[in-house]
DNA sequence: CCGCATCCGCAAGGATACTG
DNA sequence: CAGTATCCTTGCGGATGCGG
């Protein structure tokens, strides 16, 4: 049993670490984790802050993150209903890396945009 | 001119840093960068190492990474044709973060799988 | 009224065949 | 060998409906 538990090669899609990479390499997951950086948030807040996410994908992403033990989902049985999402300890350890990505994006934004302009100009010439 | 150049809020999809996050938060991009960690590779090598990637997505991902200045594409005009891909300096700076993700995945694999089992068992009960 | 499950139209992605 | 072109399938986004 556990026969799909191969060696930790992230390039083998049957390997667990590849599964994990697939999740955290998901655009919405990254953005959700980033949004939860400064404490717990309601579903609606997440939907509002993360521009362009559909309800379906947000729910789906949150379920996946919850399943992986990265966020907790707390339902308050009240009127109006309220559902809070918060990073777990595991989630916060991931946040360190993910906010590194955010920082990288901000830092190297100019370089990337310069490269894009260069690349795009090439084909038109 | 440059009217979509808003403040560096990665949650605003019109913002440059969000665009960058969207690319590096892409599963195939992550895997390609990881594969190129130990030097330049040919197209076929990439296709072979990255399990489950289709030609279309590999080509598309490589084009995107090339456009963003993360990889270089070198065509050798020979028979048989040969195309090498290699990380740029920019790409290597990104690799540091991405290999951090890989390490995280490996380290916390057990926790994630435990969480999944717990979560899955919950709904069946 | 908020969170989320469902249905449908469409675009992104996978598999295959073919070209330089 | 490295791609492009062509299907066809999958899965997303948007709207709707409903339960708590």
């Amino acid at each position: 049993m556990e026969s799909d538990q191969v060696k930790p090669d992230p390039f083998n899609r049957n390997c667990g670490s590849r599964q994990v990479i697939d999740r955290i390499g998901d655009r919405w997951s990254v953005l959700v984790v980033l949004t939860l950086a400064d404490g717990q948030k309601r579903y609606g807040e997440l939907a509002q802050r993360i521009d362009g996410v559909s309800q379906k994908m947000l729910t789906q992403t949150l379920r996946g993150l919850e399943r992986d033990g990265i966020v907790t989902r707390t339902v308050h049985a009240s009127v109006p209903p309220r559902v809070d999402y918060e990073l777990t300890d595991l989630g916060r350890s991931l946040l360190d890396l993910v906010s590194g990505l955010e920082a990288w994006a901000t830092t190297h934004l100019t370089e990337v945009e310069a490269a894009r302009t260069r690349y795009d100009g090439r084909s038109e010439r």
Side-chain angles (χ1 to χ4, degrees), chain A:
Chain A
M1 356 25 258
E2 231 87 8
S3 58
D4 57 354
Q5 185 66 354
V6 211
K7 60 177 205 262
D9 175 12
F11 303 110
N12 180 354
R13 64 174 149 183
N14 292 325
C15 176
S17 68
R18 164 67 179 270
Q19 315 269 9
V20 176
I21 292 228
D22 281 348
R23 176 162 313 285
I24 63 186
D26 169 62
R27 52 190 300 226
W28 298 127
S29 297
V30 171
L31 290 169
V32 165
V33 171
L34 276 178
T35 311
L36 291 176
D38 51 347
Q40 74 176 22
K41 295 257 180 315
R42 302 185 53 170
Y43 178 91
E45 293 182 79
L46 292 171
Q48 198 176 356
R49 289 243 18 217
I50 305 175
D51 192 27
V53 71
S54 64
Q55 303 180 65
K56 190 203 244 173
M57 284 315 294
L58 181 55
T59 302
Q60 192 171 306
T61 303
L62 286 168
R63 288 285 187 281
L65 292 173
E66 185 194 3
R67 187 171 107 98
D68 286 0
I70 291 169
V71 304
T72 56
R73 177 171 181 272
T74 314
V75 182
H76 303 274
S78 61
V79 176
R82 177 193 180 97
V83 181
D84 285 321
Y85 292 92
E86 188 174 17
L87 289 178
T88 61
D89 289 338
L90 187 61
R92 273 186 289 275
S93 75
L94 178 60
L95 173 64
D96 293 338
L97 294 168
V98 166
S99 55
L101 288 181
E102 183 190 9
W104 189 93
T106 309
T107 307
H108 299 282
L109 177 57
T110 353
E111 296 174 63
V112 170
E113 284 178 340
R116 285 183 185 170
T117 309
R118 213 177 312 129
Y119 184 92
D120 294 344
R122 193 173 303 171
S123 41
E124 291 164 13
R125 201 173 333 136

